[in-house]
C-alpha cells in the first residue's frame, strides 16, 4: 500500500505534465480561451469533489449550490477584513461544517429522500442568508473588489483541482477508501464487517463539501457583486450532477472526461445557436443517453476491453486493469 | 463546355465571396451583445432589452449605417445568451472581445450581470452604458469603472420618487397619512425600503403596516389581508414582476380600497395592462414616460412596427437611449477608438428619446421614477429633472 507502483508513478508524471501545461495557458491567451478554461477547471474541481462522495456511496447530492454559495459568501462578507487565503479556508470550513450537520441528520436516509433533501438545502440556506441580511438591515448586494485577474483565479482554481485529485487519490489508498469500496458494493456487508458506515459517509461528505465551498470562495472575486440568487443558483447543482454522470463516477478521473467535452459542446451550441440553445441542448442530452448510457468512462472502458479481447491476454494487461 | 461553365461559376463565386469579404472588413461595425435568452431574467430581457437592440440596428442601417469619419458603417450584431449566469456573461464578453473582436458592446441586462461583467468590459476598454441597473451602488460602480455609465438611477431615487408621488396624492386630497409598506426581501427591495421608510416618515406619513416576503413567494394573500386590516390610505409595495402581479391580483380580490396603490418593477410592462386592463387605471409603479413628447411617440410607434411588440414604459426607452448615446458619441468622435468614444460620452450630452442626458459624472440624473396607468398609458407622474410630469389621479375602487 505504501509503495508507489510503476503505474502510479507514470500516472503521477502524466498528471503533473498536464497540470504544468494547463498552468502555462494564461501566457498564451488572456481572453476567451482562458475564461473558457477557467469554467472547465471550475467544473472539473466541482464534479471531482462531488464524485469523492457520490461516487463510492451512490448518493446523488444536489447540495452543491449550498456549499458553493457559502464559500462565495464567506469571501463577500470578509473581503474587507481578512486576507483572501484565510477566507478561502473559511469558506471550506463553513461548507464542511454544514456538510457535517446535514450528513449527521440525513445520511441515515437514502435513495430519493436524500436527493430531495439536498435539493431543498440550497434553497433553505439561500433563504436563511436573505433573512439574516433583512434582520441585520444589511445591504443584500455585497461587493467583492480585488485586484485578481482571470489568470489569478484560473491558477487558484487549478491548484484546488489538483488538491481535490490528490485528496481523492490519498483516500483510495487509505483505510477509509477501502472501507468505502465495501460500502459502495454492499452497505449491509460493510456494517457486518464492523465499519461505522454513517460516520465514514459524513466524513466524506464533509471533505467533498469543503472543496466545493473553496471553489465558490475562489470564484467570488469574479462576480464583483454577490447576491443570494446568483450565489445559490440551483443550476450549479444540476450541472455538476449531469457532467459527473456523463463522465462516470467509478474512477477519480471519470468526471473530467465528462466536464471537458460537455463544456466545449455547450459552448459550441450556445455560440452557434444563441436563440435555440435549450432545444439543441435537449437533443444533445437525448443523444447522450442513447449513445453513452454508462458515461464516457463506461464507453472508454468498453473500448479498452474490446481492444484487449482482440489481442492475447498478457499478465501486463491484467495488471493494468487495477484501478488507477 | 460543362467544365468551362463550372470554372466560370467557381470563379464568380470566388470573386463574389472575396468582394463581400472585403466589404465585411471595411464597411461594418460589429456590435456585441450578451444578455439573458434563458433563465430567470429571460422574460424581462425579451421585453426590455433585445427588441431595442433590434430596433436600433434597424434604424441605423436604414439610414445607411453609422457615420464614422467619412465612411458609413452598417451595424452587424453578434449575440449570445448569458443564461442569466455571471460565469456565462463573463465568458460571453471575453468571446466578444477576443474572438469576435467586436467594435462595441451593448451592456448586459440587470444589476447583477452588469456588475459581474463590468471588470472585464473595463479591462477591454469598451464603453459600458448600463441601462437596466437600478441600485444604490451606481455611484460606487461609476467611480470604480470610469468607462461605465449608469442610466437607470439609484434605488434611493426610486424610493424618494414613490414618496413624492404620495405627497402629491395627499396634497390633492386622495389619501391621508396612513401608509402600508411591503417589500421583497432581496437586494432591490432592501435598498428601496432603507431609503423609502425615512423618506415616508420625513414627509409626515404614518406607517401602519410593514412586512417583507422572500423572493419567489407564491402566496401573497396573507400580506394583503393584513395590510387591509391596518386600514391604510395608501399601499406601497417595493416588488418584482411575479409579486407585482400577484399583489395587484390579491388587492383586487380582497378589495383593498386605497387612494393610492403603488407596486414596483413590472407595473410598466405591457403585460401588466394586458392582464389587468381597465382595473389598472390609477395604479402607480416604477417607471413612466412623457407621452406628450414627439420623440417618445415616434419611438413607441417604431418599436411596435419593427419588433411587433409594445415597448415597456420604463427601461425600454432607456435601453434605446443607451444605444443612441453610443451612436452619437461614435459619430462625434469620428472614430471607432473606444477611449475617444468614452471621452465623447462624458463631454457632450446625447439627444435621446428621453431628452438630453448629461453623463459628465458617469451617472444619469434625469429619469422617471414613478408612473401611473391613466387610460391605458403609463404616464410619468414623478421624475428627477425631466419635463412633462402628469398629476396623479385618485385610484378608483377595484372592479
Amino acid at each position: 500500500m505504501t509503495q508507489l507502483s510503476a503505474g502510479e508513478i507514470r500516472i503521477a508524471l502524466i498528471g503533473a505534465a498536464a497540470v504544468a501545461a494547463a498552468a502555462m495557458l494564461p501566457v498564451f491567451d488572456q481572453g476567451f480561451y482562458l475564461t473558457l478554461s477557467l469554467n472547465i477547471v471550475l467544473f472539473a474541481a466541482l464534479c471531482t469533489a462531488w464524485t469523492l462522495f457520490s461516487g463510492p456511496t451512490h448518493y446523488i447530492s444536489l447540495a452543491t449550490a449550498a456549499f458553493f454559495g457559502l464559500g462565495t459568501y464567506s469571501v463577500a462578507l470578509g473581503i474587507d477584513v481578512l486576507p483572501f487565503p484565510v477566507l478561502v479556508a473559511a469558506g471550506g470550513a463553513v461548507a464542511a461544517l454544514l456538510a457535517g450537520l446535514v450528513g449527521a441528520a440525513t445520511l441515515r436516509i437514502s435513495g430519493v429522500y436524500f436527493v430531495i433533501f439536498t435539493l431543498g438545502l440550497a434553497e433553505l440556506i439561500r433563504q436563511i442568508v436573505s433573512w439574516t441580511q433583512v434582520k441585520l438591515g444589511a445591504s443584500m448586494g455585497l461587493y467583492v473588489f480585488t485586484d485578481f485577474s482571470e489568470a489569478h483565479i484560473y491558477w487558484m482554481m487549478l491548484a484546488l483541482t489538483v488538491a481535490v485529485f490528490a485528496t481523492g487519490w490519498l483516500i483510495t489508498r487509505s483505510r477509509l477508501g477501502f472501507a468505502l469500496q465495501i460500502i459502495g458494493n454492499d452497505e449491509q456487508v460493510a456494517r457486518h464487517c464492523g465499519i461505522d458506515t454513517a460516520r465514514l459517509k459524513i466524513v466524506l461528505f464533509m471533505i467533498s463539501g469543503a472543496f466545493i465551498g473553496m471553489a465558490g470562495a475562489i470564484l467570488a472575486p469574479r462576480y464583483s457583486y454577490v447576491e443570494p440568487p446568483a450565489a445559490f443558483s440551483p443550476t450549479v447543482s444540476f450541472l455538476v450532477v449531469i457532467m459527473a454522470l456523463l463522465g462516470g463516477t467509478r474512477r477519480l478521473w471519470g468526471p473530467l472526461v465528462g466536464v471537458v467535452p460537455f463544456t466545449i459542446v455547450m459552448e459550441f451550441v450556445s455560440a452557434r445557436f444563441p436563440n435555440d440553445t435549450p432545444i439543441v441542448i435537449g437533443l444533445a442530452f437525448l443523444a447522450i443517453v442513447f449513445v453513452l448510457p454508462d458515461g464516457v468512462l463506461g464507453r472508454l472502458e468498453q473500448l479498452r476491453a474490446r481492444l484487449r479481447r482482440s489481442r492475447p491476454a498478457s499478465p501486463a494487461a491484467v495488471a493494468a486493469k487495477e484501478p488507477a | 463546355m460543362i467544365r468551362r461553365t463550372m470554372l466560370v461559376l467557381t470563379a464568380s463565386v470566388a470573386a463574389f465571396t472575396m468582394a463581400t469579404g472585403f466589404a465585411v472588413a471595411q464597411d461594418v461595425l460589429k456590435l456585441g451583445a450578451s444578455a439573458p435568452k434563458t433563465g430567470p431574467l429571460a422574460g424581462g430581457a425579451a421585453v426590455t432589452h433585445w427588441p431595442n437592440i433590434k430596433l436600433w440596428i434597424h434604424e441605423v442601417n436604414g439610414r445607411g449605417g453609422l457615420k464614422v469619419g467619412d465612411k458609413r458603417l452598417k451595424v452587424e450584431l453578434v449575440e449570445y445568451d448569458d443564461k442569466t449566469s455571471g460565469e456565462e456573461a463573463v465568458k460571453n464578453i471575453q468571446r466578444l472581445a477576443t474572438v469576435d473582436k467586436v467594435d462595441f458592446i451593448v451592456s448586459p441586462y440587470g444589476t447583477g450581470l452588469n456588475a459581474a461583467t463590468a471588470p472585464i468590459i473595463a479591462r477591454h476598454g469598451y464603453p459600458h452604458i448600463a441601462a437596466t441597473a437600478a441600485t444604490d451602488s451606481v455611484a460606487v460602480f461609476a467611480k470604480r469603472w470610469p468607462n461605465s455609465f449608469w442610466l437607470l438611477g439609484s434605488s434611493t431615487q426610486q424610493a424618494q420618487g414613490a414618496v413624492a408621488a404620495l405627497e402629491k396624492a395627499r396634497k390633492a386630497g386622495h389619501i391621508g397619512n396612513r401608509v402600508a409598506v411591503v417589500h421583497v426581501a432581496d437586494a432591490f427591495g432592501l435598498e428601496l425600503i432603507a431609503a423609502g421608510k425615512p423618506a415616508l416618515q420625513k414627509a409626515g406619513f404614518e406607517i401602519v403596516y410593514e412586512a417583507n416576503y422572500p423572493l419567489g413567494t407564491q402566496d401573497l394573500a396573507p400580506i394583503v389581508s393584513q395590510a387591509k386590516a391596518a386600514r391604510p390610505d395608501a399601499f406601497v409595495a417595493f416588488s418584482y414582476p411575479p409579486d407585482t402581479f400577484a399583489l395587484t391580483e390579491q388587492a383586487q380580490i380582497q378589495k383593498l380600497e386605497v387612494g393610492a396603490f403603488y407596486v414596483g418593477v413590472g407595473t410598466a410592462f405591457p403585460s401588466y395592462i394586458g392582464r389587468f386592463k381597465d382595473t389598472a387605471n390609477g395604479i402607480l409603479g416604477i417607471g413612466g414616460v412623457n407621452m406628450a413628447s414627439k420623440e417618445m411617440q415616434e419611438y413607441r410607434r417604431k418599436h411596435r412596427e419593427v419588433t411587433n411588440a409594445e415597448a415597456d414604459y420604463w427601461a425600454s426607452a432607456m435601453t434605446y437611449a443607451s444605444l443612441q448615446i453610443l451612436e452619437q458619441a461614435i459619430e462625434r468622435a469620428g472614430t471607432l477608438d473606444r477611449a475617444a468614444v468614452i471621452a465623447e460620452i462624458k463631454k457632450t450630452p446625447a439627444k435621446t428619446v428621453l431628452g438630453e442626458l448629461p453623463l459628465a459624472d458617469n451617472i444619469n440624473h434625469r429619469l422617471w421614477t414613478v408612473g401611473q396607468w391613466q387610460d391605458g398609458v403609463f404616464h410619468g407622474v414623478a421624475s428627477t429633472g425631466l419635463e412633462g410630469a402628469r398629476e396623479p389621479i385618485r385610484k378608483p375602487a377595484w372592479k
Side-chain angles (χ1 to χ4, degrees):
Chain A
M1 278 299 268
T2 46
Q3 204 83 51
L4 290 179
S5 73
E8 281 172 328
I9 290 172
R10 198 174 61 213
I11 286 167
L13 285 177
I14 294 171
V19 169
M24 291 298 284
L25 180 87
V27 178
F28 300 106
D29 186 71
Q30 291 271 358
F32 169 68
Y33 295 102
L34 175 61
T35 303
L36 180 63
S37 308
L38 172 52
N39 285 5
I40 290 178
V41 175
L42 164 69
F43 277 102
L46 290 180
C47 293
T48 313
W50 182 86
T51 306
L52 285 185
F53 170 74
S54 294
T57 60
H58 306 305
Y59 281 72
I60 302 287
S61 158
L62 289 173
T64 309
F67 302 138
F68 188 81
L70 278 180
T72 309
Y73 257 85
S74 307
V75 172
L77 288 170
I79 191 73
D80 297 328
V81 198
L82 291 167
F84 190 69
V86 177
L87 292 173
V88 173
V94 174
L97 192 69
L98 175 73
L101 289 174
V102 171
T106 64
L107 280 177
R108 283 172 177 78
I109 60 177
S110 63
V112 76
Y113 304 105
F114 180 77
V115 182
I116 296 296
F117 183 86
T118 52
L119 174 63
L121 182 68
E123 186 60 19
L124 174 72
I125 300 293
R126 177 168 83 89
Q127 297 295 357
I128 290 176
V129 169
S130 304
W131 182 82
T132 317
Q133 281 179 306
V134 173
K135 286 293 154 201
L136 296 179
S139 163
M140 194 160 292
L142 297 165
Y143 309 114
V144 184
F145 290 149
T146 59
D147 295 324
F148 292 132
S149 68
E150 287 277 290
H152 293 127
I153 300 176
Y154 173 75
W155 280 320
M156 287 189 278
M157 200 59 84
L158 191 65
L160 183 73
T161 311
V162 172
V164 176
F165 270 93
T167 310
W169 178 73
L170 284 174
I171 289 175
T172 53
R173 283 173 60 87
S174 67
R175 281 166 56 92
L176 177 62
F178 189 52
L180 282 170
Q181 231 170 15
I182 303 171
I183 294 176
N185 286 335
D186 194 325
E187 205 168 322
Q188 287 284 337
V189 172
R191 253 196 302 267
H192 281 290
C193 294
I195 295 169
D196 187 350
T197 55
R199 192 178 62 89
L200 281 187
K201 283 190 285 187
I202 293 171
V203 168
L204 205 61
F205 197 44
M206 287 174 76
I207 295 173
S208 163
F211 279 121
I212 295 170
M214 284 159 87
I218 291 173
L219 207 68
R222 209 188 188 193
Y223 291 112
S224 53
Y225 182 74
V226 175
E227 283 182 284
F232 296 98
S233 160
T235 319
V236 175
S237 303
F238 287 106
L239 280 178
V240 163
V241 175
I242 290 167
M243 290 192 216
L245 292 182
L246 169 65
T249 56
R250 276 172 298 151
R251 294 269 189 277
L252 193 55
W253 50 269
L256 200 62
V257 291
V259 168
V260 175
F262 184 89
T263 318
I264 292 172
V265 168
M266 282 278 270
E267 182 50 37
F268 176 80
V269 169
S270 45
R272 284 295 156 88
F273 312 99
N275 293 311
D276 310 293
T277 317
I279 297 173
V280 181
I281 296 287
L283 290 175
F285 276 140
L286 278 180
I288 286 169
V289 171
F290 281 110
V291 181
L292 297 168
D294 296 325
V296 178
L297 184 72
R299 180 46 59 95
L300 285 177
E301 289 188 338
Q302 211 181 356
L303 285 177
R304 204 163 66 168
R306 200 175 297 163
L307 271 179
R308 197 168 302 138
R309 239 178 293 134
S310 61
R311 276 180 301 177
S314 67
V318 176
K321 216 182 157 192
E322 290 296 308
Chain B
M1 186 59 196
I2 290 171
R3 208 169 139 197
R4 196 189 295 163
T5 319
M6 286 302 285
L7 202 70
V8 171
L9 260 177
T10 318
S12 53
V13 166
F16 181 75
T17 322
M18 274 170 74
T20 47
F22 277 117
V24 166
Q26 288 189 345
D27 300 332
V28 159
L29 181 143
K30 266 179 137 182
L31 183 72
S34 159
K37 285 173 186 283
T38 54
L41 290 184
V47 174
T48 307
H49 192 79
W50 292 111
N52 282 294
I53 298 176
K54 189 179 165 194
L55 172 63
W56 180 77
I57 292 177
H58 178 268
E59 291 292 298
V60 168
N61 287 350
R63 282 197 289 272
L66 273 181
K67 200 166 163 294
V68 182
D70 47 10
K71 266 191 293 194
R72 282 266 175 194
L73 303 185
K74 293 253 183 182
V75 178
E76 187 186 283
L77 181 68
V78 185
E79 54 181 335
Y80 296 125
D81 175 14
D82 65 21
K83 305 184 177 96
T84 320
S85 133
E87 287 106 83
E88 286 289 323
V90 169
K91 192 184 67 190
N92 286 348
I93 300 292
Q94 287 274 40
R95 180 187 265 274
L96 289 169
T98 63
V99 179
D100 302 312
K101 297 195 169 40
V102 295
D103 298 299
F104 290 97
I105 288 178
V106 187
S107 78
Y109 179 78
T111 306
L113 294 171
N114 267 298
T117 50
I120 209 89
I121 297 178
R123 190 162 317 132
H124 292 295
Y126 288 105
H128 179 181
I129 314 171
T132 46
T135 161
D136 280 344
S137 312
V138 290
V140 184
F141 292 165
K143 197 170 285 169
R144 182 156 182 102
W145 300 296
N147 66 312
S148 69
F149 301 89
W150 304 84
L151 305 187
L152 209 55
S154 66
S155 315
T156 302
Q157 280 173 321
Q158 307 289 359
Q160 286 169 348
V163 177
L166 289 187
E167 284 187 271
K168 279 188 193 174
R170 184 173 60 183
K171 216 170 135 196
H174 304 158
I175 57 167
N177 280 330
R178 299 169 64 83
V179 182
V181 193
V182 306
H183 70 93
V184 56
D186 89 320
F188 183 71
L190 277 182
E191 285 185 359
L192 279 163
I193 193 74
K197 229 168 109 178
L200 280 171
Q201 283 156 346
K202 202 173 149 217
F205 286 104
E206 184 196 346
I207 298 174
V208 292
Y209 176 69
E210 192 193 336
N212 68 74
Y213 53 88
L215 189 66
T217 303
Q218 303 285 332
D219 182 14
L220 292 162
I223 295 231
V224 172
S225 65
Q226 283 167 32
K228 193 184 173 190
R231 290 178 295 105
D233 301 323
F235 177 82
V236 174
F238 298 124
S239 54
Y240 263 149
D243 19 304
T244 300
F245 284 76
L247 284 167
T248 311
E249 200 175 69
Q250 278 303 324
Q252 186 185 359
I253 292 169
Q254 303 190 24
K255 299 264 185 283
L256 171 66
E257 300 296 355
V258 284
F261 184 86
Y262 171 101
V263 269
V265 180
T267 321
F269 284 4
S271 53
Y272 189 84
I273 189 83
R275 166 99 167 262
F276 296 106
K277 312 244 162 39
D278 292 348
T279 318
N281 209 33
I283 290 178
L284 298 156
I286 291 185
V289 296
N290 175 14
M291 281 305 273
S293 129
K294 282 251 153 37
E295 289 85 359
M296 183 53 74
Q297 291 169 3
E298 186 65 10
Y299 158 72
R300 296 193 67 88
R301 187 182 61 74
K302 280 187 195 150
H303 191 288
R304 207 161 30 232
E305 267 176 29
V306 175
T307 68
N308 287 322
E310 198 71 38
D312 78 37
Y313 288 92
W314 183 29
S316 272
M318 202 53 101
T319 306
Y320 190 76
S322 75
L323 293 162
Q324 290 184 305
I325 292 169
L326 181 67
E327 167 190 341
Q328 291 169 25
I330 294 171
E331 295 199 332
R332 276 199 309 272
T335 161
L336 297 182
D337 180 66
R338 293 163 202 166
V341 172
I342 292 169
E344 199 52 55
I345 294 171
K346 281 176 85 89
K347 207 174 88 191
T348 319
K351 293 181 183 60
T352 72
V353 287
L354 290 155
E356 278 202 359
L357 300 182
L359 286 167
D361 61 351
N362 293 43
I363 296 171
N364 170 35
H365 299 279
R366 294 184 179 176
L367 50 117
W368 289 104
T369 51
V370 183
Q372 184 176 45
W373 285 107
Q374 297 179 2
D375 303 320
V377 174
F378 198 63
H379 291 286
V381 295
S383 77
T384 58
L386 281 175
E387 308 260 304
R390 281 217 182 178
E391 282 306 308
I393 58 168
R394 189 180 199 284
K395 163 91 186 66
W398 294 104
K399 277 176 238 173

